[in-house]
Amino acid sequence: MGQHGFLSSTAIQRLSLFGDDAKILENKIYQAKRQVEKEYSDLLQGLTILGEVWVTDLEREIDKLIFKIKTGENEEKPIKNIPGYFYKMMTHFWKMALLVETEQGFVTVSNWSDYIKEFPEACPSIIRYYYPNKLSTSQLNKYLDALSKRERG
């Protein structure tokens, strides 16, 4: 666990709660990131999404997974395929990260990331700051596709 540079010790600790599945879930984070980078390579123009900027938001995503698993179990509707579910969550997360970076610019997002690390109670999530209401997958894809067309055209 934790051989990937941008996972915080907190994220690694939370993933370790999954025991034998921890490494699988860790890999889902990176698989989803690579997939989004490949799918939207035109927006990234040869760059990658810098994971270090999204550390705090990523921790929140892991917390959401834990919450959804517990809620599902309490409601007797357990998540049947946790790695698959988490992969979908991570794909959505990395698309949101790309959207915010594209719209706001890397420097702005990086500054927010530094601020959040220093004052986590002031603003716990960069994504939630810019998009307080969650975008559906179709809305998110529509926004990114429009940005891609603008970039190409």
Side-chain angles (χ1 to χ4, degrees):
M1 284 288 301
Q3 60 181 284
H4 297 93
F6 65 79
L7 283 183
S8 69
S9 58
T10 301
I12 293 166
Q13 178 185 22
R14 289 175 182 153
L15 286 172
S16 71
L17 297 172
F18 292 92
D20 293 341
D21 288 338
K23 187 66 179 165
I24 294 168
L25 295 177
E26 180 184 7
N27 287 336
K28 294 300 177 192
I29 294 169
Y30 295 95
Q31 289 169 358
K33 182 178 180 290
R34 283 190 299 274
Q35 179 58 41
V36 170
E37 289 169 343
K38 182 179 173 187
E39 188 176 344
Y40 293 99
S41 60
D42 54 336
L43 284 176
L44 288 162
Q45 299 176 348
L47 303 173
T48 61
I49 302 167
L50 191 60
E52 289 83 354
V53 172
W54 299 100
V55 168
T56 306
D57 282 69
L58 190 54
E59 290 169 0
R60 284 178 44 98
E61 291 299 304
I62 297 167
D63 286 344
K64 277 197 265 183
L65 174 66
I66 293 167
F67 176 80
K68 288 178 185 274
I69 290 169
K70 287 180 179 178
T71 302
E73 289 171 354
N74 288 339
E75 295 174 356
E76 297 182 19
K77 297 176 186 174
I79 298 170
K80 291 178 178 44
N81 178 357
I82 291 172
Y85 185 88
F86 190 56
Y87 181 78
K88 283 184 178 181
M89 282 181 67
M90 287 293 92
T91 301
H92 193 272
F93 169 77
W94 290 117
K95 284 181 178 182
M96 285 300 301
L98 176 60
L99 177 63
V100 171
E101 274 189 30
T102 302
E103 289 180 335
Q104 303 304 319
F106 176 76
V107 172
T108 299
V109 172
S110 183
N111 289 339
W112 266 113
S113 177
D114 292 341
Y115 179 78
I116 288 170
K117 286 174 190 165
E118 193 170 340
F119 305 103
E121 63 286 340
C123 179
S125 167
I126 299 169
I127 291 171
R128 287 282 172 249
Y129 178 80
Y130 289 105
Y131 288 93
N133 299 315
K134 184 177 180 193
L135 294 179
S136 69
T137 300
S138 62
Q139 289 172 312
L140 177 55
N141 290 340
K142 196 182 301 183
Y143 285 162
L144 286 171
D145 290 344
L147 288 170
S148 288
K149 285 178 187 167
R150 189 179 79 195
E151 192 63 39
R152 286 182 295 223

